[in-house]
Amino acid sequence: MQKVTNYFHLHLVSDSTGETLITVARAAAAQYDSIEAIEHVHPLVRNDRQLDRALIEIEASPGIVLYTLVNADLAQRLERFCRDQGAPCVSVLSPVHDVFRTYLNVAQTYKAGAQHELDASYFRRIDALNFTLVHDDGQLAEDADDADVVVIGVSRTSKTPTSIYLANRGVKVANIPFVPGVPIPESVFAATRPLIVGLVASPERIAQIRENRVLSLGSRAFDTSYVDRQAIAQEIAQMRRLCADNGWPLIDVTRRSIEETAAGIIALQRDRKGPLA
């Protein structure tokens, strides 16, 4: 029986980029089967005119309204409007701020987008992203000891997107492809500073992704072992032996999202050296 998906309008009103709201909203929506949100993101709402545009869209497409507005007048106006429209309206960060104020006994600064300041943490993330981009897919492998993390994995284990995600957390990553018959650069074995971690997945999962990739590229000139399950199984076994021989931790990404894989790597790094951030 075909699953029926029900849709609803979800308005995200923010005085900053809206990233916090998007993350919270998607985490909540993911808990409901057969339900999908039609997202209306209203970023950088910092005055009445900007709020007016959001209110017009809320009225045209009624639904749930989530917001993060530090301006009390704008927040009250949004809540009044939603109350009149009969639309549920929730300040996502208010309960968190209440706990912080009570526990810390300090006043809130009410500064929009404070988490996006151009501080040392921001520039560390930019530096990590630049490093990771130029050390993708085995490039400049001689710099392995300058990385925080070296990721080694067979093809189609999401090495690059995992590396980019880590870079956005301020982690410098070099990723090295594991290709049967091609030696891992000696600079990786000589590296003492970074955490070196291997990525694998089930042969079935890798074969499926590789087959889809070949079809999407429309390529007929490719090595059939690239999608052969037995050859892939041998490739994975070699990767596992490489990590076991060198004492490198191994993560199976078969049922992991990129975020979960990155979180696992950060946990390994924290256990090894202490917090990264």
Side-chain angles (χ1 to χ4, degrees):
M1 183 177 178
Q2 188 174 10
K3 186 170 70 172
V4 177
T5 300
N6 295 306
Y7 296 89
F8 71 99
H9 292 285
L10 178 61
H11 294 270
L12 308 174
V13 184
S14 172
D15 51 21
S16 186
T17 63
E19 292 177 13
T20 300
L21 283 173
I22 291 170
T23 301
V24 171
R26 291 179 180 175
Q31 300 298 317
Y32 299 91
D33 292 333
S34 304
I35 299 292
E36 187 169 333
I38 301 172
E39 293 180 355
H40 304 260
V41 183
H42 311 279
L44 301 173
V45 175
R46 297 181 179 178
N47 58 45
D48 284 318
R49 184 172 55 85
Q50 292 162 344
L51 182 57
D52 285 341
R53 290 198 292 265
L55 298 184
I56 291 170
E57 194 166 340
I58 292 169
E59 185 173 16
S61 303
I64 297 173
V65 178
L66 305 181
Y67 73 89
T68 51
L69 298 172
V70 298
N71 184 302
D73 292 336
L74 292 179
Q76 290 170 11
R77 185 177 168 216
L78 174 61
E79 289 189 353
R80 282 196 304 270
F81 179 86
C82 289
R83 190 163 52 249
D84 292 342
Q85 294 290 318
C89 181
V90 178
S91 172
V92 169
L93 290 180
S94 286
V96 180
H97 287 312
D98 289 344
V99 172
F100 272 51
R101 280 195 301 268
T102 302
Y103 186 81
L104 300 174
N105 195 29
V106 294
Q108 183 181 342
T109 58
Y110 296 99
K111 187 175 182 181
Q115 72 272 37
H116 300 297
E117 284 190 345
L118 302 185
D119 56 9
S121 176
Y122 172 84
F123 289 108
R124 185 172 70 246
R125 292 196 302 272
I126 295 300
D127 188 35
L129 188 58
N130 288 333
F131 181 94
T132 299
L133 288 173
V134 299
H135 292 85
D136 181 45
D137 200 30
Q139 299 180 83
L140 301 177
E142 62 272 18
D143 297 337
D145 205 39
D146 295 329
D148 297 314
V149 172
V150 174
V151 172
I152 303 175
V154 299
S155 173
R156 318 288 16 125
T157 50
S158 298
K159 296 185 299 297
T160 295
T162 300
S163 298
I164 297 298
Y165 185 90
L166 286 166
N168 277 292
R169 298 287 298 272
V171 184
K172 293 182 179 180
V173 185
N175 90 64
I176 309 291
F178 178 84
V179 181
V182 178
I184 299 295
E186 285 299 322
S187 56
V188 174
F189 296 104
T192 58
R193 180 178 177 273
L195 166 72
I196 302 176
V197 60
L199 302 183
V200 295
S202 70
E204 294 77 18
R205 178 59 176 160
I206 291 177
Q208 179 187 42
I209 297 173
R210 290 182 180 181
E211 287 166 1
N212 290 337
R213 178 170 173 76
V214 169
L215 288 172
S216 69
L217 294 175
S219 176
R220 297 184 179 180
F222 66 93
D223 185 353
T224 56
S225 65
Y226 182 69
V227 295
D228 179 76
R229 280 167 169 74
Q230 186 173 355
I232 293 172
Q234 294 174 353
E235 189 178 334
I236 293 169
Q238 292 174 30
M239 179 68 202
R240 289 184 179 277
R241 280 198 298 273
L242 173 69
C243 289
D245 290 345
N246 290 277
W248 298 335
L250 191 70
I251 295 177
D252 188 326
V253 303
T254 304
R255 294 181 177 83
R256 286 178 180 251
S257 65
I258 290 165
E259 294 87 350
E260 289 171 325
T261 301
I265 292 172
I266 289 172
L268 288 169
Q269 179 74 349
R270 184 180 296 117
D271 290 343
R272 181 174 182 264
K273 282 188 173 180
L276 284 167

